[in-house]
Amino acid sequence: MVTVEERVQWIRDYFAQSGGETAVIGMSGGKDSLLTALLCKKALGPDRVIGVTMPMYSYLAGEVIGEDSIKAEWQIKIMGIYHEYVNILPAVESLLKESRTSYVPGVRYNLPARIRMAVLYAVAQSHEGGRVACTSNLSEDWVGWNTKYGDSAGDFQPLADMTATEVWAMLNKILDE
């Protein structure tokens, strides 16, 4: 398994080669976005990392789920990185209302992920050298648990070769430091 130091150096090298200045991370409150943010903070420093929270839309309940956003905002505060909040619920609801495809299986589930990615790229574009981090891990890619042009998109993917078990192990190692 790759070490924390090797992954931090990989991020530094990516930013040096790409001309990147700022890492933009969609913070979900989960292990993958937290580890990605912690690695970027170690590699770039807290002033060059932006955590973006966006309410999660439940297509089954038709409501905003706040627990994940609260957890993500707490993580951002503890890390001391910059925070941006964007409410995507009106955009999701509007597009679903206007689209004739809103009842096609998967559309209601995948649309919010694609809107979140559009928001992350807008935030990145508004900051000098902004680069969007893809927070998907290898296990999610293996089982197809991601959305094309949604959470599987990004400029760099620090967890691409890590299984969920390896993500937990590295996260615990960093948190124990």
Side-chain angles (χ1 to χ4, degrees), residues 81-112:
I81 62 175
Y82 183 74
H83 177 221
E84 288 199 23
Y85 170 86
V86 179
N87 182 359
I88 66 165
L89 188 55
V92 171
E93 288 177 332
S94 177
L95 287 170
L96 287 174
K97 179 181 165 192
E98 296 298 323
S99 173
R100 294 188 319 213
T101 63
S102 64
Y103 298 102
V104 174
V107 171
R108 295 177 70 82
Y109 175 77
N110 290 309
L111 182 61

Side-chain angles (χ1 to χ4, degrees), residues 21-169:
E21 289 295 321
T22 307
V24 177
I25 304 160
M27 298 295 295
S28 67
K31 69 184 180 324
D32 298 319
S33 61
L34 177 58
L35 179 57
T36 300
L38 287 168
L39 289 168
C40 288
K41 179 183 172 186
K42 282 181 157 297
L44 306 171
D47 295 339
R48 294 176 58 195
V49 180
I50 300 170
V52 182
T53 56
M54 296 162 274
M56 302 295 288
Y57 181 80
S58 170
Y59 69 98
L60 295 176
E63 62 188 29
V64 176
I65 301 172
E67 184 179 324
D68 291 337
S69 287
I70 292 168
K71 192 186 309 181
E73 288 176 21
W74 177 81
Q75 292 170 349
I76 289 167
K77 184 175 183 177
I78 297 297
M79 282 187 284
I81 62 175
Y82 183 74
H83 177 221
E84 288 199 23
Y85 170 86
V86 179
N87 182 359
I88 66 165
L89 188 55
V92 171
E93 288 177 332
S94 177
L95 287 170
L96 287 174
K97 179 181 165 192
E98 296 298 323
S99 173
R100 294 188 319 213
T101 63
S102 64
Y103 298 102
V104 174
V107 171
R108 295 177 70 82
Y109 175 77
N110 290 309
L111 182 61
R114 291 183 176 119
I115 291 172
R116 284 192 295 271
M117 193 51 61
V119 167
L120 292 177
Y121 273 97
V123 170
Q125 189 175 13
S126 69
H127 293 273
E128 184 71 30
R131 301 291 185 265
V132 174
C134 174
T135 60
S136 292
N137 66 53
L138 183 59
S139 296
E140 292 172 338
D141 289 343
W142 277 346
V143 297
W145 195 5
N146 56 32
T147 299
K148 188 175 182 180
Y149 307 116
D151 53 2
S152 67
D155 297 314
F156 67 109
Q157 189 175 1
L159 313 182
D161 60 348
M162 297 174 67
T163 64
T165 302
E166 292 169 328
V167 168
W168 277 117

